[in-house]
Amino acid sequence: MDLKAVRTFVAVADTGQFQEASAVLGITQQAVSKRIAALEKELGVRLFTRTARGARPTIDGQAFLPHARELLLAEERAAASVRPGRRALRVDVVGARLGPAGLLRDFHRAHPETALDVVTLFDADTAVAAVRAGTIDATFRAVGTRLPEGLRAARVFDEPVQLLTGPRHPLAGARSVTPAQLAGHRIWMPGLVAGTEWAAYYAALAAEFGLTIDSVGPDFGSEALLDTVADSASLATLVAEGIRLVWPQGHDLRRIPLTDPTPVYPHSLVWDAANTHPGLAALRAHLAERPLARPSSRAWTPAWAVRGAFPARRP
């Protein structure tokens, strides 16, 4: 089986877009399509359903995805076994469309000589355990508890949170709103999963400003959420400033800054102090040289995020 095609399949599944996958892989969109077509022909099944908005794995594609990831991991382990010290730096970015992925793309542009293996693990507990076990080199996470012995964290990115509404929502015409003004409005976030760091963040935000954040209902992904918010005169949602979202022109969705204060999501880099991978040292130095952007208004973040993070340490 062509592992380049397998890697391309995983990239399309993670990004949801052939065009995004081509950018991640550094190849043309036509090459992505050819690799997927060849893999589908070899397997004898369709792996993706193409839509105007991108590509979704079919049932067969969903069944193949975990095995495809295992194939790529096996390839990485095989290469590392004969090339000690030359393996790719493996970093968890939470999600391919989120702010930490942008940070890692910036690092890759500045350090193209550093090979990267980008993964998307589920929650902070899973990611921290992977760092501790050595299956990944680092993770970008909101740190809310003291880390296990030997692990370190440095706050690297405070990402503002924005309000997202449809055109008929009462706040749709606002240039900015305060968190307090959201009290009484229904904020729908079906992607909040109990026990995750992002659920803890938004629970703290709701408690601080008296907000109603509703996570009831199945999570059908960002496209379904955008469809629902666009059609509603009462529902809104909260999104990170750096998240990459695309919606049809007719949706006329509005991204509205939150100010006075601006809630920021506190991303930290977490790594093992004993890890000597040269790429990790380069990544830490790159992030340390990048100024920690501050919003124009005063910022808010949960107290646990401040207490939980360790100070930055130079490599």
Side-chain angles (χ1 to χ4, degrees):
M1 186 173 293
D2 183 356
L3 290 180
K4 288 184 178 179
V6 174
R7 185 174 291 103
T8 303
F9 163 76
V10 171
V12 174
D14 284 345
T15 63
Q17 299 277 345
F18 276 50
Q19 184 176 0
E20 292 254 6
S22 70
V24 170
L25 297 171
I27 61 177
T28 66
Q29 187 172 343
Q30 183 181 19
V32 170
S33 298
K34 287 183 176 180
R35 289 182 183 180
I36 296 300
L39 186 59
E40 289 177 331
K41 183 177 180 180
E42 180 179 358
L43 296 174
V45 297
R46 289 183 62 197
L47 295 173
F48 291 103
T49 298
R50 280 78 162 179
T51 71
R53 302 181 195 176
R56 295 180 180 176
T58 62
I59 293 176
D60 290 320
Q62 294 173 36
F64 181 62
L65 183 57
H67 302 290
R69 294 191 193 279
E70 285 298 322
L71 284 172
L72 297 181
L73 286 174
E75 178 197 31
E76 177 189 332
R77 287 193 292 266
S81 69
V82 296
R83 292 183 297 173
R86 296 182 59 190
R87 67 169 179 81
L89 181 70
R90 197 160 193 237
V91 183
D92 163 52
V93 295
V94 188
R97 299 183 182 184
L98 301 180
L103 293 182
L104 203 57
R105 284 195 297 270
D106 289 343
F107 169 72
H108 180 59
R109 282 191 288 266
H111 298 270
E113 74 285 354
T114 300
L116 289 175
D117 183 9
V118 183
V119 300
T120 53
L121 301 178
F122 182 63
D123 63 354
D125 289 343
T126 301
V128 168
V131 172
R132 192 177 187 186
T135 56
I136 63 174
D137 294 295
T139 179
F140 288 93
R141 292 287 165 172
V143 179
T145 58
R146 281 192 72 85
L147 295 170
E149 184 69 26
L151 299 195
R152 300 289 183 265
R155 187 93 153 258
V156 295
F157 182 33
D158 283 354
E159 185 172 17
V161 173
Q162 297 179 330
L163 181 70
L164 184 71
T165 77
R168 297 186 294 122
H169 192 276
L171 298 175
R175 297 185 64 181
S176 65
V177 297
T178 67
Q181 287 177 295
L182 299 182
H185 293 280
R186 185 182 171 203
I187 299 170
W188 190 44
M189 303 185 73
L192 295 184
V193 179
T196 60
E197 69 271 24
W198 59 88
Y201 173 86
Y202 284 106
L205 179 65
E208 180 75 16
F209 298 102
L211 309 186
T212 302
I213 297 181
D214 181 4
S215 61
V216 175
D219 179 16
F220 290 112
S222 61
E223 291 180 356
L225 175 62
L226 298 181
D227 290 344
T228 303
V229 170
D231 290 338
S232 176
S234 59
L235 284 181
T237 193
L238 296 173
V239 296
E241 182 182 68
I243 189 171
R244 301 177 71 177
L245 296 173
V246 179
W247 56 79
Q249 185 175 0
H251 276 19
D252 194 21
L253 290 167
R254 318 292 174 84
R255 295 182 73 146
I256 304 169
L258 298 180
T259 59
D260 300 320
T262 296
V264 296
Y265 194 88
H267 298 284
S268 291
L269 183 75
V270 180
W271 72 94
D272 189 328
N275 189 325
T276 59
H277 195 298
L280 177 60
L283 174 61
R284 291 178 53 208
H286 173 83
L287 294 171
E289 292 166 0
R290 178 183 180 275
L292 188 63
R294 301 291 183 184
S296 56
S297 71
R298 60 190 176 94
W300 175 89
T301 198
W304 54 255
V306 177
R307 292 194 302 265
F310 288 83
R313 295 191 179 190
R314 304 293 293 189

